[in-house]
Amino acid sequence: MDKKYKLVTFGKRDIIEDKKRSLTEMIFIFAICSILGWFVETGYVYLSVGRIVKRGMLMGPYCPIYGFGALILYFLFYNLKPTKANIPYTFLTASITMGAFELLSGLGFKYILNIEMWNYHGHFLSILDYTTVPILLGWGILGTIYVFFIHRLLLKIVSILPKVIANRTAILIILIYATDFVISVYRIVGNPDILYKLVNP
């Protein structure tokens, strides 16, 4: 095992103590998972409507809500040892946490920004119209896959990059997302039909 890791016991779960977290890591995880989330959304809509539809309110191929979700998992499971014994805990925690995040995001868009990005009214076991029990289970599966197969792979990829290159790339990522956000919001405010088409493929 890498010397920078130290196994410690936390209740019934083994965790890996590693204090070397950085803002650069978080930016890369946010960006990569936003892109992966865009592909997940695009694939889901393709299966639903039978054609490829651009997802997300931004112009680029990324859905930031998945990036923020990945950061939540990053903080929740950063030190969790990926063993079979930890699968139920990971699944349950990811289901509840990510489901609550989706619900609160939907309510926030609707009642704070007056934007409805999704709505599950009338769907099976809907929860306040912005998530459902089956979707919670789906989040649990995706979260478990992320924690056990993707999380440390992303950290390893970031660690391979020279520090200077990684830091400069992280700054570039922030600039790209910030610019896209400003332009996209301006476009939507000027033409609300754009948002309607994104939400109703």
Side-chain angles (χ1 to χ4, degrees):
M1 177 174 290
D2 195 321
K3 292 182 179 180
K4 74 174 182 177
Y5 295 119
K6 177 185 176 183
L7 284 178
V8 298
T9 301
F10 183 74
K12 295 183 179 180
R13 299 182 299 279
D14 285 333
I15 64 174
I16 298 174
E17 185 177 20
D18 180 9
K19 298 180 181 179
K20 297 185 67 175
R21 293 187 241 187
S22 71
L23 180 60
T24 298
E25 275 184 357
M26 289 183 269
I27 292 171
F28 270 90
I29 287 174
F30 171 81
I32 294 172
C33 290
S34 293
I35 294 171
L36 293 176
W38 183 85
F39 281 103
V40 170
E41 284 281 321
T42 302
Y44 172 78
V45 173
Y46 177 79
L47 293 176
S48 300
V49 302
R51 67 180 189 278
I52 295 178
V53 178
K54 183 184 177 304
R55 299 300 291 164
M57 63 179 287
L58 302 184
M59 293 185 297
Y62 31 73
C63 291
I65 193 168
Y66 284 87
F68 287 116
L71 289 180
I72 292 174
L73 296 177
Y74 174 87
F75 284 107
L76 283 176
F77 301 111
Y78 187 89
N79 294 334
L80 188 74
K81 185 180 178 183
T83 61
K84 291 182 179 179
N86 285 330
I87 291 178
Y89 164 75
T90 304
F91 174 80
L92 182 61
T93 304
S95 296
I96 295 173
T97 305
M98 300 309 296
F101 175 63
E102 180 183 34
L103 175 62
L104 293 174
S105 296
L107 291 172
F109 277 121
K110 175 64 176 179
Y111 295 105
I112 297 177
L113 301 177
N114 197 29
I115 295 174
E116 189 164 76
M117 294 296 296
W118 63 89
N119 191 303
Y120 300 115
H121 179 73
H123 287 225
F124 180 64
L125 296 180
S126 173
I127 302 175
L128 297 178
D129 293 340
Y130 292 103
T131 192
T132 70
V133 172
I135 288 176
L136 271 120
L137 299 178
W139 282 126
I141 294 172
L142 287 176
T144 303
I145 292 172
Y146 172 80
V147 171
F148 280 75
F149 299 103
I150 300 176
H151 177 68
R152 295 208 170 273
L153 175 62
L154 295 183
L155 295 181
K156 189 172 183 179
I157 291 173
V158 176
S159 68
I160 291 174
L161 296 173
K163 187 174 181 180
V164 174
I165 293 177
N167 290 340
R168 290 180 178 177
T169 304
I171 293 173
L172 180 61
I173 289 171
I174 292 175
L175 291 175
I176 291 173
Y177 274 74
T179 302
D180 192 336
F181 178 80
V182 171
I183 295 174
S184 297
V185 170
Y186 178 79
R187 288 171 64 239
I188 290 172
V189 170
N191 186 3
D193 287 342
I194 293 176
L195 181 61
Y196 180 82
K197 291 177 181 178
L198 290 173
V199 177
N200 300 277

